[in-house]
Amino acid sequence: MIEQIKNVAVSIMLAILAYLEPIQGELQALFLVFFLNFLFGYLSGMVKGEDFNLKKAFVCICHFALFVVICSAVYVIGRLKGQMAGAVQCVSLITYLILYFYGLNILKNCKKIFREGTAPWHVVATMYFILRFKFIEKIPYLAEYLETTRKDGEAKTGEA
């Protein structure tokens, strides 16, 4: 009986993976960026003398699962609507946004790992600066979004 349940579960999982095959590259990119975010977050904590935090690890895994579900849902809805190319393009946009924001977080954690003033620290700090302040000018609406959220945050805290 357990063997049959296992076979059914494996069959369902393989069917889902086959259905999502057109966005396989995006899902792999999500897995990679979340793995790197987890790894460098953990290493950054070790450098600061923190112990492994199971709650932070669980939150990271939940974020990964949430974005996989969002990307999968967007793809499935687009496919059901008969707009496969638009669905793949939308999933690609979501993935690039995730890669951008989590990439910044990875670089910020790397800056904490390396000793300030060393060559690796300068390389990472330069990459962080370019991505944080220069790269956003090339992405439509991203600079405007970041400025709006900054102003909203200042308005909530009463800062000017």
Side-chain angles (χ1 to χ4, degrees):
M1 179 67 171
I2 293 177
E3 189 67 29
Q4 289 175 335
I5 293 172
K6 183 176 118 179
N7 289 339
V8 169
V10 167
S11 298
I12 290 171
M13 190 60 146
L14 288 175
I16 290 170
L17 290 174
Y19 190 79
L20 297 175
E21 195 274 330
I23 60 168
Q24 176 185 1
E26 280 80 6
L27 295 178
Q28 289 173 341
L30 284 178
F31 176 78
L32 179 62
V33 78
F34 278 97
F35 173 76
L36 292 174
N37 185 54
F38 181 88
L39 177 68
F40 287 111
Y42 176 66
L43 292 175
S44 172
M46 280 180 41
V47 167
K48 292 189 298 186
E50 297 175 1
D51 290 330
F52 180 77
N53 188 333
L54 192 58
K55 182 180 177 185
K56 284 172 70 174
F58 182 71
V59 167
C60 182
I61 291 168
C62 287
H63 287 172
F64 170 69
L66 174 70
F67 286 122
V68 166
V69 168
I70 289 171
C71 288
S72 299
V74 167
Y75 171 73
V76 169
I77 291 168
R79 188 170 176 164
L80 291 174
K81 290 179 66 179
Q83 299 176 349
M84 182 104 142
V88 171
Q89 186 177 11
C90 189
V91 169
S92 180
L93 173 68
I94 294 168
T95 304
Y96 278 119
L97 287 172
I98 293 167
L99 291 174
Y100 174 76
F101 287 109
Y102 278 90
L104 282 177
N105 193 51
I106 290 167
L107 290 173
K108 187 171 62 171
N109 283 330
C110 284
K111 280 176 58 176
K112 295 175 186 174
I113 293 170
F114 297 120
R115 191 176 27 201
E116 190 171 342
T118 62
W121 184 88
H122 282 293
V123 170
V124 170
T126 303
M127 290 172 56
Y128 181 79
F129 173 79
I130 291 169
L131 282 178
R132 177 67 180 98
F133 298 108
K134 298 299 178 187
F135 186 74
I136 61 171
E137 298 167 1
K138 305 295 182 197
I139 302 173
Y141 309 111
L142 186 57
E144 183 181 342
Y145 164 75
L146 291 173
E147 181 64 22
T148 302
T149 56
R150 185 187 64 77
K151 287 180 182 176
D152 287 346
E154 289 175 358
K156 287 179 184 175
T157 60
E159 297 175 4

